[in-house]
Amino acid sequence: MSNTSEVGRSGAAHTEALLLAPTPAAWVAEASARWQELLLDHANCEKKAASTALALMFAYPEDRPLALALARLAREELRHFEQVLRVMNELGVPFARQRPGRYAHGLRSVLRTSDPGRKLDLLLMSALIEARSAERFALLAPHLPAPLARLYADLGVAEARHYELYVGFAQAADSHGWRTRLATLAGREAELATAPDPVLRFHSGPPQAR
Ligand SMILES: [Fe+2]
Ligand SMILES: [Fe+2]
């Protein structure tokens, strides 16, 4: 994609162009302290990122440039999943079932349910999730044990590239309307990422007072 320059070309430093609110410091503190739990949710996020990309390919098979980009992206997300599993092994974190947090469901609840409009919303939702991931990897990396810190720093760069890719396709899907729609979805995303949350997850809000 060539027209993503206004969103930024590289690195998590540009996520503020998309995200309406930064991650609260209280989330970073809690997530750094409970990194094992977070790592488990993170593994699930990588799997989910791959399956979301595949679902988009199935939903819009006529869009070949999108299908090709998403095929690559899905493979990359599965490699991320494998990397997370390796680090979990290294650090002795067992794999277990975990209840999903409110974030993905909360975002999906504001998407339009049919086209025209659904495709743009799905692309923008994915862009926002990738941007939030990139921001949080960069915030967490300095606070984590060595193998994880390295992995998170690398993933921050990869997810920033992914949000730019999704934004590029969103611009192509609706060159006039994408900004207005982005503002609505980004508003919802910022609420979910910053309002006190009963559950700690990679995309949750800061911990609710107990
Ligand atoms: Fe990823
Ligand atoms: Fe990603």
Side-chain angles (χ1 to χ4, degrees):
M1 303 307 294
S2 58
N3 53 351
T4 56
S5 56
E6 38 193 299
V7 182
R9 291 210 171 273
S10 63
H14 297 286
T15 52
E16 65 268 22
L18 217 59
L19 302 174
L20 290 185
T23 285
W27 181 89
V28 180
E30 188 78 0
S32 309
R34 291 162 64 186
W35 60 265
Q36 287 98 332
E37 232 176 296
L38 198 77
L39 194 52
L40 193 52
D41 184 50
H42 172 200
N44 288 325
C45 290
E46 298 292 0
K47 262 194 296 196
K48 190 77 184 84
S51 83
T52 301
L54 290 176
L56 255 176
M57 288 170 70
F58 277 105
Y60 301 101
E62 68 286 350
D63 189 339
R64 289 180 64 173
L66 180 66
L68 188 60
L70 291 176
R72 289 191 185 124
L73 189 142
R75 274 186 288 150
E76 199 182 347
E77 300 293 12
L78 286 177
R79 270 200 305 276
H80 291 172
F81 174 67
E82 292 170 44
Q83 286 173 292
V84 178
L85 286 190
R86 265 199 300 278
V87 172
M88 284 175 72
N89 262 345
E90 250 176 82
L91 296 171
V93 179
F95 209 90
R97 280 174 190 263
Q98 203 177 41
R99 203 160 45 86
R102 69 185 180 189
Y103 183 80
H105 182 73
L107 263 179
R108 280 189 180 274
S109 69
V110 295
L111 304 190
R112 286 170 286 186
T113 52
S114 59
D115 280 305
R118 174 113 179 128
K119 185 182 187 185
L120 176 66
D121 285 7
L122 287 167
L123 291 165
L124 289 174
M125 175 190 72
S126 290
L128 286 164
I129 297 174
E130 297 282 2
R132 183 63 69 188
S133 304
E135 184 223 21
R136 291 192 169 184
F137 283 131
L139 287 169
L140 286 170
H143 304 286
L144 298 173
L148 200 50
R150 254 196 321 278
L151 176 63
Y152 276 23
D154 290 348
L155 291 181
V157 175
E159 311 306 0
R161 182 162 38 73
H162 294 169
Y163 90 68
E164 291 184 353
L165 182 143
Y166 276 119
V167 168
F169 280 106
Q171 290 171 332
D174 184 350
S175 58
H176 298 295
W178 75 276
R179 260 180 207 290
T180 314
R181 196 58 194 152
L182 174 62
T184 303
L185 298 188
R188 179 74 181 131
E189 194 281 338
E191 260 169 42
L192 290 161
T194 60
D197 201 323
V199 177
L200 176 77
R201 291 290 182 267
F202 195 87
H203 295 102
S204 67
Q208 208 164 49
R210 271 168 272 186

